[in-house]
Amino acid sequence: MITQPAGGMVRGKIGPGLILKDTDMKFFIDTADIGEIEDLAATGLVDGVTTNPSLVAKTGRDFKDTIRQICRIVDGPVSAEVAATDADGMIEEGRLLAAIADNVAVKVPLTWDGLKACRSLSQAGTMVNVTLCFSATQALLAAKAGATFISPFIGRLDDIGLDGMELIQEIRIIYDNYEDLGTEILAASIRSPNHVKLSAMAGADVATVPPSVLKGLVKHPLTDKGLDAFLSDWAKTGQSIL
Ligand code: E4P
């Protein structure tokens, strides 16, 4: 059952995996394509950007230049992923990436080395997004390592016949059980508007969505049909509002 807060916002569990929180749900876009980011940022609906090595490779552009440019377009967190796999290498790369702009969130993989790097970078005041999360216990470790964001990959779990959304619900319950776990749940690997809806219902703090999915959120055939009918009836009135 979904309950609305009466007379102000309520924070707390309403039922298993269903939370009312006192903050907005944020939309990040999951792309390294500058054109798409500029286009969507103009809507005012983009709270941040996530990139990954595959998305950067698709652009064929220089990685650090791309991140610099994205950080100028979007004020919110811009995730830039390290390529090293050892903790020292990740920390070194992370420091370089963080130096590009204040809103860079360094992305590290959910490995022991990634967690070590997360701890060190977050203690130095850098935002860290721990990526490639596929279990609730991984998410618990990332939060304890001081992650700013944890990125559970919904679509990739669905792809192998598991339930990605269940993972978001589990993490929400665990994080809300402990006041000191301040990590934000960033629902990732989102493939459809339905994934966005279910992430919001499960209390994800952020959904990172491909541009096509963000654009798809506004679409409904009955909206188009209704608008056509209203416009045609309006034309019959022969009036003008201006
Ligand atoms: C998140 O930060 C990742 O870049 C992304 O959501 C992965 O999505 P995919 O599984 O569609 O590649």
Short mmCIF file of all heavy atoms in Angstrom, two decimals, residues 30-31 50-55 79 81 107 129 131-132 134 151-156 159 186-191 208-210, ligand 1:
data_model
loop_
_atom_site.label_atom_id
_atom_site.label_comp_id
_atom_site.label_asym_id
_atom_site.label_seq_id
_atom_site.Cartn_x
_atom_site.Cartn_y
_atom_site.Cartn_z
N ASP A 30 22.75 8.38 -18.60
CA ASP A 30 23.79 7.37 -18.74
C ASP A 30 24.34 7.43 -20.17
O ASP A 30 23.91 6.67 -21.04
CB ASP A 30 23.13 6.01 -18.46
CG ASP A 30 24.12 4.92 -18.12
OD1 ASP A 30 25.20 5.24 -17.59
OD2 ASP A 30 23.80 3.73 -18.34
N THR A 31 25.23 8.37 -20.40
CA THR A 31 25.79 8.54 -21.75
C THR A 31 27.04 9.41 -21.65
O THR A 31 27.21 10.17 -20.70
CB THR A 31 24.76 9.23 -22.68
OG1 THR A 31 25.34 9.37 -23.99
CG2 THR A 31 24.37 10.62 -22.20
N THR A 50 26.15 9.72 -15.76
CA THR A 50 27.06 8.60 -15.52
C THR A 50 27.67 8.18 -16.86
O THR A 50 27.00 8.19 -17.88
CB THR A 50 26.35 7.38 -14.90
OG1 THR A 50 25.18 7.08 -15.67
CG2 THR A 50 25.96 7.64 -13.45
N THR A 51 28.97 7.87 -16.81
CA THR A 51 29.62 7.32 -18.00
C THR A 51 30.27 6.01 -17.57
O THR A 51 30.39 5.73 -16.38
CB THR A 51 30.71 8.28 -18.54
OG1 THR A 51 31.80 8.34 -17.60
CG2 THR A 51 30.17 9.67 -18.79
N ASN A 52 30.68 5.22 -18.53
CA ASN A 52 31.49 4.04 -18.24
C ASN A 52 32.41 3.84 -19.45
O ASN A 52 32.23 4.51 -20.48
CB ASN A 52 30.61 2.81 -17.93
CG ASN A 52 29.76 2.36 -19.10
OD1 ASN A 52 30.21 2.38 -20.25
ND2 ASN A 52 28.53 1.95 -18.84
N PRO A 53 33.42 2.98 -19.34
CA PRO A 53 34.37 2.84 -20.45
C PRO A 53 33.71 2.47 -21.78
O PRO A 53 34.15 2.91 -22.85
CB PRO A 53 35.31 1.73 -19.97
CG PRO A 53 35.27 1.85 -18.47
CD PRO A 53 33.85 2.22 -18.14
N SER A 54 32.63 1.67 -21.73
CA SER A 54 31.96 1.29 -22.98
C SER A 54 31.30 2.51 -23.62
O SER A 54 31.35 2.69 -24.84
CB SER A 54 30.90 0.21 -22.72
OG SER A 54 31.45 -0.84 -21.98
N LEU A 55 30.67 3.36 -22.79
CA LEU A 55 30.00 4.56 -23.32
C LEU A 55 31.03 5.53 -23.88
O LEU A 55 30.80 6.19 -24.91
CB LEU A 55 29.16 5.23 -22.22
CG LEU A 55 27.95 4.43 -21.73
CD1 LEU A 55 27.33 5.08 -20.49
CD2 LEU A 55 26.89 4.32 -22.84
N SER A 79 29.89 10.92 -13.23
CA SER A 79 30.71 9.75 -12.90
C SER A 79 31.71 9.45 -14.00
O SER A 79 31.35 9.36 -15.18
CB SER A 79 29.83 8.51 -12.69
OG SER A 79 29.08 8.64 -11.52
N GLU A 81 34.88 6.70 -14.74
CA GLU A 81 35.36 5.41 -14.21
C GLU A 81 36.86 5.21 -14.37
O GLU A 81 37.43 5.53 -15.42
CB GLU A 81 34.59 4.28 -14.92
CG GLU A 81 34.81 2.92 -14.30
CD GLU A 81 33.69 1.94 -14.63
OE1 GLU A 81 32.59 2.38 -15.04
OE2 GLU A 81 33.92 0.73 -14.49
N LYS A 107 34.32 6.66 -10.36
CA LYS A 107 33.62 5.37 -10.37
C LYS A 107 34.65 4.26 -10.21
O LYS A 107 35.62 4.19 -10.97
CB LYS A 107 32.92 5.23 -11.71
CG LYS A 107 31.54 4.64 -11.67
CD LYS A 107 30.98 4.72 -13.09
CE LYS A 107 29.61 4.14 -13.17
NZ LYS A 107 29.15 4.04 -14.55
N ASN A 129 31.46 6.64 -6.77
CA ASN A 129 30.34 5.81 -7.22
C ASN A 129 30.88 4.39 -7.37
O ASN A 129 31.74 4.14 -8.20
CB ASN A 129 29.83 6.37 -8.56
CG ASN A 129 28.73 5.52 -9.18
OD1 ASN A 129 28.36 4.48 -8.66
ND2 ASN A 129 28.23 5.97 -10.33
N THR A 131 30.52 0.86 -8.68
CA THR A 131 29.73 0.33 -9.79
C THR A 131 29.81 -1.19 -9.87
O THR A 131 30.58 -1.82 -9.16
CB THR A 131 30.21 1.00 -11.10
OG1 THR A 131 29.31 0.66 -12.15
CG2 THR A 131 31.62 0.58 -11.50
N LEU A 132 28.98 -1.75 -10.76
CA LEU A 132 28.93 -3.20 -10.98
C LEU A 132 28.49 -3.93 -9.71
O LEU A 132 29.10 -4.93 -9.32
CB LEU A 132 30.27 -3.72 -11.50
CG LEU A 132 30.63 -3.27 -12.93
CD1 LEU A 132 32.09 -3.57 -13.25
CD2 LEU A 132 29.72 -3.92 -13.97
N PHE A 134 25.89 -6.25 -7.82
CA PHE A 134 24.88 -7.26 -8.15
C PHE A 134 24.33 -7.98 -6.92
O PHE A 134 23.58 -8.94 -7.07
CB PHE A 134 25.47 -8.28 -9.16
CG PHE A 134 25.78 -7.64 -10.49
CD1 PHE A 134 27.07 -7.20 -10.79
CD2 PHE A 134 24.78 -7.43 -11.42
CE1 PHE A 134 27.34 -6.58 -12.00
CE2 PHE A 134 25.05 -6.83 -12.64
CZ PHE A 134 26.33 -6.39 -12.93
N SER A 151 25.88 1.60 -7.32
CA SER A 151 25.17 1.38 -8.59
C SER A 151 24.79 -0.08 -8.79
O SER A 151 25.56 -0.86 -9.35
CB SER A 151 26.04 1.85 -9.77
OG SER A 151 26.16 3.24 -9.79
N PRO A 152 23.58 -0.48 -8.34
CA PRO A 152 23.09 -1.82 -8.65
C PRO A 152 22.62 -1.85 -10.10
O PRO A 152 21.89 -0.96 -10.54
CB PRO A 152 21.90 -2.01 -7.70
CG PRO A 152 21.78 -0.75 -6.91
CD PRO A 152 22.63 0.30 -7.53
N PHE A 153 23.03 -2.89 -10.84
CA PHE A 153 22.72 -2.99 -12.27
C PHE A 153 21.45 -3.84 -12.47
O PHE A 153 21.51 -5.06 -12.56
CB PHE A 153 23.90 -3.62 -13.02
CG PHE A 153 24.99 -2.66 -13.40
CD1 PHE A 153 25.36 -1.61 -12.58
CD2 PHE A 153 25.67 -2.81 -14.61
CE1 PHE A 153 26.37 -0.72 -12.93
CE2 PHE A 153 26.68 -1.94 -14.99
CZ PHE A 153 27.04 -0.90 -14.15
N ILE A 154 20.33 -3.17 -12.59
CA ILE A 154 19.04 -3.88 -12.70
C ILE A 154 18.93 -4.71 -13.98
O ILE A 154 18.64 -5.90 -13.94
CB ILE A 154 17.89 -2.84 -12.72
CG1 ILE A 154 17.89 -2.00 -11.45
CG2 ILE A 154 16.55 -3.51 -12.90
CD1 ILE A 154 16.94 -0.83 -11.54
N GLY A 155 19.16 -4.04 -15.12
CA GLY A 155 18.95 -4.70 -16.41
C GLY A 155 19.82 -5.94 -16.59
O GLY A 155 19.36 -6.96 -17.11
N ARG A 156 21.07 -5.85 -16.14
CA ARG A 156 21.96 -7.01 -16.34
C ARG A 156 21.53 -8.19 -15.48
O ARG A 156 21.78 -9.35 -15.84
CB ARG A 156 23.41 -6.62 -16.07
CG ARG A 156 23.93 -5.65 -17.11
CD ARG A 156 25.41 -5.45 -17.05
NE ARG A 156 25.79 -4.27 -17.83
CZ ARG A 156 27.02 -3.92 -18.09
NH1 ARG A 156 28.04 -4.65 -17.65
NH2 ARG A 156 27.28 -2.83 -18.80
N ASP A 159 18.63 -9.66 -17.31
CA ASP A 159 19.13 -10.37 -18.50
C ASP A 159 19.46 -11.83 -18.20
O ASP A 159 19.39 -12.67 -19.09
CB ASP A 159 20.42 -9.72 -19.03
CG ASP A 159 20.17 -8.37 -19.69
OD1 ASP A 159 19.00 -8.06 -19.97
OD2 ASP A 159 21.16 -7.63 -19.93
N LEU A 186 21.80 4.32 -6.56
CA LEU A 186 21.74 4.84 -7.93
C LEU A 186 21.35 3.66 -8.83
O LEU A 186 22.20 2.84 -9.20
CB LEU A 186 23.13 5.39 -8.29
CG LEU A 186 23.33 6.33 -9.47
CD1 LEU A 186 24.76 6.83 -9.50
CD2 LEU A 186 22.96 5.73 -10.79
N ALA A 187 20.07 3.55 -9.12
CA ALA A 187 19.61 2.43 -9.94
C ALA A 187 20.21 2.55 -11.34
O ALA A 187 20.00 3.56 -12.03
CB ALA A 187 18.09 2.43 -10.01
N ALA A 188 20.97 1.54 -11.75
CA ALA A 188 21.69 1.61 -13.03
C ALA A 188 21.27 0.45 -13.93
O ALA A 188 20.52 -0.44 -13.50
CB ALA A 188 23.19 1.56 -12.76
N SER A 189 21.78 0.49 -15.16
CA SER A 189 21.44 -0.52 -16.15
C SER A 189 19.92 -0.58 -16.33
O SER A 189 19.31 -1.65 -16.34
CB SER A 189 22.01 -1.89 -15.71
OG SER A 189 21.85 -2.86 -16.71
N ILE A 190 19.36 0.61 -16.45
CA ILE A 190 17.91 0.75 -16.63
C ILE A 190 17.59 0.65 -18.11
O ILE A 190 18.24 1.29 -18.93
CB ILE A 190 17.45 2.08 -16.01
CG1 ILE A 190 17.38 1.90 -14.49
CG2 ILE A 190 16.14 2.58 -16.61
CD1 ILE A 190 16.82 3.06 -13.74
N ARG A 191 16.60 -0.16 -18.44
CA ARG A 191 16.31 -0.41 -19.86
C ARG A 191 14.95 0.11 -20.30
O ARG A 191 14.66 0.07 -21.50
CB ARG A 191 16.37 -1.92 -20.12
CG ARG A 191 17.65 -2.60 -19.68
CD ARG A 191 18.71 -2.53 -20.78
NE ARG A 191 20.02 -2.87 -20.27
CZ ARG A 191 20.46 -4.10 -20.02
NH1 ARG A 191 19.67 -5.11 -20.26
NH2 ARG A 191 21.68 -4.29 -19.56
N THR A 208 19.79 6.26 -13.13
CA THR A 208 20.56 6.73 -14.28
C THR A 208 19.99 6.05 -15.51
O THR A 208 19.88 4.82 -15.58
CB THR A 208 22.08 6.53 -14.15
OG1 THR A 208 22.70 7.20 -15.26
CG2 THR A 208 22.52 5.08 -14.09
N VAL A 209 19.56 6.87 -16.47
CA VAL A 209 18.79 6.35 -17.59
C VAL A 209 19.42 6.73 -18.92
O VAL A 209 19.90 7.85 -19.09
CB VAL A 209 17.33 6.88 -17.56
CG1 VAL A 209 16.55 6.24 -16.45
CG2 VAL A 209 17.27 8.38 -17.42
N PRO A 210 19.38 5.80 -19.89
CA PRO A 210 19.83 6.17 -21.23
C PRO A 210 18.92 7.29 -21.76
O PRO A 210 17.73 7.31 -21.41
CB PRO A 210 19.65 4.88 -22.04
CG PRO A 210 19.50 3.78 -21.04
CD PRO A 210 18.93 4.41 -19.80
C1 E4P B 1 25.84 2.78 -14.88
O1 E4P B 1 26.51 3.67 -14.37
C2 E4P B 1 26.23 2.07 -16.10
O2 E4P B 1 26.91 2.98 -16.94
C3 E4P B 1 25.05 1.59 -16.92
O3 E4P B 1 23.83 1.89 -16.31
C4 E4P B 1 25.20 0.22 -17.46
O4 E4P B 1 24.06 -0.10 -18.21
P1 E4P B 1 24.00 -1.32 -19.24
O5 E4P B 1 23.84 -2.58 -18.47
O6 E4P B 1 22.79 -1.04 -20.08
O7 E4P B 1 25.29 -1.29 -20.02
#
